[in-house]
Coordinates of all heavy atoms in Angstrom, one line a residue:
L199 N 4.1 -205.6 -162.1 CA 4.3 -205.2 -160.7 C 3.9 -203.8 -160.5 O 3.6 -203.4 -159.3 CB 5.7 -205.5 -160.3 CG 6.1 -206.9 -160.0 CD1 7.6 -207.0 -159.7 CD2 5.3 -207.6 -158.9
A200 N 3.8 -203.0 -161.5 CA 3.5 -201.6 -161.3 C 2.1 -201.4 -160.8 O 1.7 -200.4 -160.2 CB 3.6 -200.8 -162.6
A201 N 1.2 -202.5 -161.0 CA -0.2 -202.4 -160.5 C -0.3 -202.6 -159.0 O -1.3 -202.5 -158.4 CB -1.0 -203.5 -161.2
F202 N 0.9 -202.9 -158.4 CA 0.9 -203.3 -156.9 C 1.8 -202.3 -156.0 O 2.2 -202.7 -155.0 CB 1.3 -204.7 -156.8 CG 0.4 -205.7 -157.4 CD1 0.6 -206.2 -158.7 CD2 -0.8 -206.2 -156.8 CE1 -0.2 -207.1 -159.3 CE2 -1.6 -207.0 -157.4 CZ -1.3 -207.5 -158.6
T203 N 2.0 -201.2 -156.6 CA 2.8 -200.2 -155.9 C 2.5 -200.0 -154.4 O 3.4 -199.9 -153.6 CB 2.8 -198.8 -156.6 OG1 3.2 -199.0 -158.0 CG2 3.8 -197.8 -155.9
D204 N 1.2 -200.0 -154.1 CA 0.8 -199.7 -152.8 C 0.4 -201.0 -152.0 O -0.2 -201.0 -151.0 CB -0.4 -198.8 -152.7 CG -1.7 -199.2 -153.5 OD1 -1.5 -200.3 -154.2 OD2 -2.7 -198.7 -153.4
K205 N 0.7 -202.2 -152.5 CA 0.3 -203.4 -151.9 C 1.5 -204.1 -151.1 O 1.3 -205.1 -150.4 CB -0.1 -204.4 -153.0 CG -1.4 -203.9 -153.8 CD -2.6 -204.0 -153.0 CE -3.8 -203.7 -153.9 NZ -5.1 -203.8 -153.1
W206 N 2.7 -203.6 -151.2 CA 3.8 -204.2 -150.6 C 3.7 -203.9 -149.0 O 3.3 -202.8 -148.6 CB 5.1 -203.5 -151.0 CG 5.4 -203.8 -152.5 CD1 5.0 -203.2 -153.6 CD2 6.3 -204.9 -152.9 NE1 5.5 -203.8 -154.7 CE2 6.4 -204.8 -154.3 CE3 7.1 -205.9 -152.3 CZ2 7.1 -205.7 -155.1 CZ3 7.9 -206.7 -153.1 CH2 7.8 -206.7 -154.5
V207 N 4.0 -205.0 -148.3 CA 3.9 -204.8 -146.8 C 5.2 -205.2 -146.1 O 6.0 -205.9 -146.7 CB 2.7 -205.6 -146.2 CG1 1.4 -205.2 -146.8 CG2 3.0 -207.1 -146.5
Q208 N 5.4 -204.7 -145.0 CA 6.7 -205.0 -144.2 C 6.9 -206.5 -144.1 O 5.9 -207.2 -143.7 CB 6.6 -204.3 -142.8 CG 7.8 -204.7 -142.0 CD 9.1 -203.9 -142.4 OE1 9.1 -202.8 -142.9 NE2 10.2 -204.6 -142.3
Y209 N 8.0 -207.0 -144.4 CA 8.3 -208.4 -144.2 C 8.7 -208.6 -142.8 O 9.7 -208.1 -142.3 CB 9.4 -208.8 -145.2 CG 9.5 -210.3 -145.4 CD1 9.1 -210.9 -146.6 CD2 10.0 -211.2 -144.4 CE1 9.1 -212.3 -146.8 CE2 10.0 -212.5 -144.6 CZ 9.6 -213.1 -145.8 OH 9.6 -214.5 -146.0
N210 N 7.9 -209.5 -142.1 CA 8.2 -209.8 -140.7 C 8.3 -208.5 -139.9 O 9.4 -208.0 -139.6 CB 9.5 -210.6 -140.5 CG 9.5 -211.3 -139.2 OD1 8.8 -210.9 -138.2 ND2 10.4 -212.2 -138.9
P211 N 7.1 -207.9 -139.5 CA 7.1 -206.6 -138.8 C 7.9 -206.5 -137.6 O 8.2 -205.4 -137.1 CB 5.6 -206.5 -138.5 CG 4.9 -207.3 -139.5 CD 5.8 -208.5 -139.8
E212 N 8.2 -207.7 -137.0 CA 9.1 -207.7 -135.8 C 10.5 -207.3 -136.1 O 11.3 -206.9 -135.2 CB 9.0 -209.0 -135.1 CG 7.7 -209.4 -134.5 CD 7.7 -210.7 -133.8 OE1 8.8 -211.4 -133.8 OE2 6.7 -211.1 -133.2
K213 N 10.9 -207.3 -137.3 CA 12.3 -207.0 -137.8 C 12.2 -205.7 -138.5 O 12.7 -205.5 -139.7 CB 12.8 -208.1 -138.7 CG 12.7 -209.5 -138.1 CD 13.6 -209.7 -136.9 CE 13.6 -211.1 -136.4 NZ 14.4 -211.4 -135.3
V214 N 11.8 -204.6 -137.8 CA 11.7 -203.3 -138.5 C 13.0 -202.7 -138.9 O 13.0 -201.8 -139.8 CB 11.0 -202.3 -137.6 CG1 9.5 -202.8 -137.4 CG2 11.7 -202.1 -136.2
N215 N 14.1 -203.1 -138.4 CA 15.4 -202.6 -138.8 C 16.0 -203.3 -140.0 O 17.1 -203.0 -140.4 CB 16.3 -202.6 -137.6 CG 16.0 -201.8 -136.4 OD1 15.5 -200.6 -136.7 ND2 16.2 -202.2 -135.2
N216 N 15.3 -204.2 -140.5 CA 15.7 -205.0 -141.7 C 14.8 -204.5 -142.9 O 13.7 -204.9 -142.9 CB 15.5 -206.5 -141.5 CG 16.2 -207.3 -142.6 OD1 16.5 -206.9 -143.6 ND2 16.4 -208.6 -142.2
P217 N 15.3 -203.7 -143.7 CA 14.5 -203.0 -144.8 C 14.0 -204.0 -145.9 O 14.7 -204.0 -146.9 CB 15.3 -201.9 -145.3 CG 16.7 -202.3 -145.0 CD 16.7 -203.1 -143.8
R218 N 13.0 -204.7 -145.6 CA 12.4 -205.7 -146.6 C 10.9 -205.5 -146.7 O 10.3 -205.3 -145.6 CB 12.7 -207.1 -146.2 CG 14.1 -207.5 -146.0 CD 14.3 -208.8 -145.4 NE 13.6 -208.9 -144.1 CZ 13.5 -210.0 -143.3 NH1 14.0 -211.2 -143.7 NH2 13.0 -210.0 -142.1
H219 N 10.3 -205.6 -147.8 CA 8.9 -205.7 -148.0 C 8.5 -206.8 -148.9 O 9.4 -207.3 -149.7 CB 8.3 -204.3 -148.6 CG 8.4 -203.2 -147.7 ND1 9.6 -202.5 -147.5 CD2 7.4 -202.6 -146.9 CE1 9.4 -201.5 -146.6 NE2 8.0 -201.6 -146.2
G220 N 7.3 -207.3 -148.7 CA 6.9 -208.5 -149.4 C 5.6 -208.3 -150.1 O 4.8 -207.4 -149.8
L221 N 5.4 -209.1 -151.2 CA 4.2 -209.1 -151.9 C 3.8 -210.6 -152.1 O 4.4 -211.4 -152.8 CB 4.4 -208.5 -153.3 CG 3.2 -208.1 -154.1 CD1 2.3 -207.1 -153.5 CD2 3.6 -207.7 -155.5
S222 N 2.7 -211.0 -151.4 CA 2.3 -212.4 -151.4 C 1.8 -212.9 -152.8 O 0.9 -212.3 -153.4 CB 1.3 -212.7 -150.3 OG 1.7 -212.3 -149.1
V223 N 2.4 -214.0 -153.3 CA 2.0 -214.6 -154.5 C 1.0 -215.7 -154.2 O 0.1 -216.0 -155.0 CB 3.2 -215.1 -155.4 CG1 2.7 -215.7 -156.6 CG2 4.1 -213.9 -155.6
T224 N 1.2 -216.4 -153.1 CA 0.2 -217.3 -152.5 C 0.1 -217.0 -151.0 O 1.0 -216.4 -150.4 CB 0.7 -218.8 -152.7 OG1 2.0 -219.0 -152.1 CG2 0.8 -219.2 -154.2
S225 N -1.0 -217.4 -150.4 CA -1.2 -217.2 -149.0 C -2.1 -218.3 -148.5 O -2.6 -219.1 -149.3 CB -1.7 -215.8 -148.7 OG -3.0 -215.7 -149.3
L226 N -2.4 -218.2 -147.2 CA -3.3 -219.3 -146.6 C -4.8 -219.1 -147.2 O -5.5 -220.0 -147.4 CB -3.4 -219.1 -145.1 CG -2.2 -219.6 -144.3 CD1 -2.4 -219.3 -142.8 CD2 -2.0 -221.1 -144.5
D227 N -5.2 -217.8 -147.4 CA -6.6 -217.6 -147.8 C -6.7 -216.8 -149.1 O -7.8 -216.4 -149.4 CB -7.3 -216.7 -146.7 CG -6.6 -215.4 -146.4 OD1 -5.6 -215.1 -147.1 OD2 -7.0 -214.6 -145.5
G228 N -5.6 -216.6 -149.8 CA -5.7 -215.9 -151.1 C -5.6 -214.4 -150.9 O -5.6 -213.7 -151.9
G229 N -5.5 -213.9 -149.7 CA -5.3 -212.5 -149.4 C -3.9 -212.0 -149.5 O -3.0 -212.9 -149.5
M230 N -3.7 -210.7 -149.3 CA -2.3 -210.2 -149.5 C -2.0 -209.3 -148.2 O -1.3 -208.4 -148.4 CB -2.3 -209.3 -150.7 CG -2.5 -210.1 -152.0 SD -2.4 -209.2 -153.5 CE -0.7 -208.6 -153.4
S231 N -2.5 -209.7 -147.1 CA -2.2 -209.0 -145.8 C -0.8 -209.2 -145.4 O -0.2 -208.4 -144.7 CB -3.2 -209.4 -144.7 OG -2.9 -210.7 -144.3

């Protein structure tokens, strides 16, 4: 996971007061947006 330090993104950006970040392991297109 150390290789992905800058890849974490806000989990559900509409819930900014909930301090969570996610790292996609699977997605619709294989991307990590």
Side-chain angles (χ1 to χ4, degrees):
L199 286 176
F202 298 95
T203 302
D204 60 349
K205 300 286 188 179
W206 295 84
V207 299
Q208 177 71 38
Y209 198 106
N210 198 344
E212 294 182 356
K213 307 291 184 181
V214 293
N215 294 324
N216 190 343
R218 306 170 296 177
H219 288 80
L221 191 66
S222 299
V223 179
T224 61
S225 65
L226 286 177
D227 59 1
M230 296 179 62
S231 69

